[in-house]
Amino acid sequence: MSDNKSINPICWVPTVYFAMGLPFVALSMVSVLMFSDMGVSNAQIAFWTSLIMLPWTLKPLWSPFLEMFKTKKYFVVATQMVTGVAFGLVALSLPLPDFFCYAIAFMGVIAFSGATHDIAGDGVYLTELNATMQAKYIGWQGAFYNLAKILTNGGLVYLAGSLKDSIGIVHAWMVIMGICAAIMVVLSLYHVRMLPSGGAASGDVRTVKDAMHMLWEVIRTFFQKKYIVWYICFIILYRFAEGYVMKIVPLFLKAGIDQGGLGLPVQEIGIIYGTFGAAAFVLGS
């Protein structure tokens, strides 16, 4: 993998952050509708699709260990490829009798890979761009992350709803997971050439003990900050309501009126829930 210092950041910042958004949205939102379509109970959907999202919360715990190996570019490219392959395996698992067990397991792989990708992708961004350039491209980060949300939770959900009548529920969602797989694999191959290295492995982190020491120092320093308790409360409460409804809203929109829902078809959910809100955010940024 060559180090492409001369590549304009516009060639890789949008695509890296698009690749961050796609697996997160596919697992946190799209999978809810997919499993509901395929007859999985709401209780199972809410529990397991919430559980597999934990790597994105816990990713700081293994971020120091990435400093021991290779380059940040290596982890970005590798995790995008792993994520793409895992999406493909999710697609192939859907026709199986025990599809839910296999699909959730592969999604767990996607979650860990996606969270690791976020660490490495942010690392490339912070390492390769100075403060001025970081400020310049921060809008591109948010815009393309949310474009991934529009495509995945809007466009692909709409496509799944449109395909269900012609090729059946299972094959419709196989197509959607296959598209996610293809996008991630293509992005991985693209970043082999277009992504700068993000620096070599840190000389300060050579062993597991070094990584543990770095992690402890980060945690200790964080909790020594002034007013840290108030900061933590703000972080938790800022999106507290959204966290509660993220899994439930799609199920509520899809459930029949006799079950207390709105009875919307998947196509309309893709447009209303997956497109309009995210599109407004992108335009506002």
Side-chain angles (χ1 to χ4, degrees):
M1 297 181 186
S2 59
D3 183 5
N4 297 317
K5 289 277 189 181
S6 61
I7 296 294
N8 192 310
I10 199 65
C11 296
W12 57 268
V13 171
T15 50
V16 166
Y17 283 86
F18 183 92
M20 286 188 186
L22 189 149
F24 182 85
V25 175
L27 265 60
S28 64
M29 300 179 183
V30 177
S31 67
V32 173
L33 291 170
M34 180 181 76
F35 289 135
S36 178
D37 263 354
M38 297 185 67
V40 181
S41 70
N42 288 353
Q44 280 190 300
I45 293 170
F47 177 79
W48 286 105
T49 59
S50 297
L51 185 65
I52 60 174
M53 302 306 293
L54 277 177
W56 273 285
T57 302
L58 302 177
K59 63 186 178 184
L61 297 181
W62 64 86
S63 58
F65 296 92
L66 302 187
E67 298 292 332
M68 296 169 56
F69 310 102
K70 303 289 185 178
T71 63
K72 296 173 180 65
K73 173 181 178 176
Y74 174 87
F75 285 105
V76 170
V77 172
T79 52
Q80 286 173 358
M81 183 62 69
V82 169
T83 298
V85 171
F87 269 122
L89 292 173
V90 171
L92 293 175
S93 72
L94 295 182
L96 300 177
D98 296 324
F99 72 91
F100 185 67
C101 298
Y102 299 117
I104 284 293
F106 293 132
M107 286 182 178
V109 174
I110 293 171
F112 183 80
S113 176
T116 305
H117 172 272
D118 291 3
I119 298 167
D122 285 335
V124 174
Y125 185 83
L126 295 173
T127 304
E128 296 294 330
L129 303 183
N130 58 36
T132 302
M133 294 293 283
Q134 289 174 25
K136 178 180 178 180
Y137 285 97
I138 193 168
W140 290 92
Q141 286 185 13
F144 275 81
Y145 188 95
N146 281 281
L147 281 174
K149 183 183 292 186
I150 293 172
L151 171 68
T152 312
N153 200 34
L156 294 186
V157 168
Y158 180 86
L159 179 60
S162 301
L163 290 174
K164 285 195 301 182
D165 292 335
S166 57
I167 63 175
I169 291 174
V170 173
H171 288 94
W173 285 109
M174 286 180 70
V175 169
I176 301 310
M177 292 294 108
I179 291 173
C180 291
I183 291 172
M184 294 304 299
V185 170
V186 168
L187 286 172
S188 176
L189 297 175
Y190 173 80
H191 288 137
V192 169
R193 291 188 58 84
M194 302 303 291
L195 191 67
S197 72
S202 173
D204 297 329
V205 184
R206 300 177 181 276
T207 65
V208 172
K209 182 178 179 181
D210 292 336
M212 292 296 292
H213 177 73
M214 176 182 285
L215 177 61
W216 168 248
E217 285 300 311
V218 170
I219 295 173
R220 184 180 63 83
T221 304
F222 177 76
F223 281 98
Q224 286 179 340
K225 293 180 180 294
K226 192 176 182 180
Y227 305 125
I228 186 59
V229 173
W230 295 111
Y231 295 157
I232 293 174
C233 289
F234 175 79
I235 291 169
I236 293 173
L237 296 176
Y238 179 65
R239 302 183 72 175
F240 192 72
E242 182 183 3
Y244 264 107
V245 303
M246 185 179 291
K247 302 293 180 186
I248 303 304
V249 166
L251 296 173
F252 167 72
L253 294 174
K254 185 175 181 297
I257 296 175
D258 59 323
Q259 298 174 314
L262 295 184
L264 297 178
V266 171
Q267 295 100 311
E268 291 186 21
I269 296 174
I271 294 174
I272 297 169
Y273 184 63
T275 303
F276 289 155
F281 185 90
V282 172
L283 292 174
S285 64

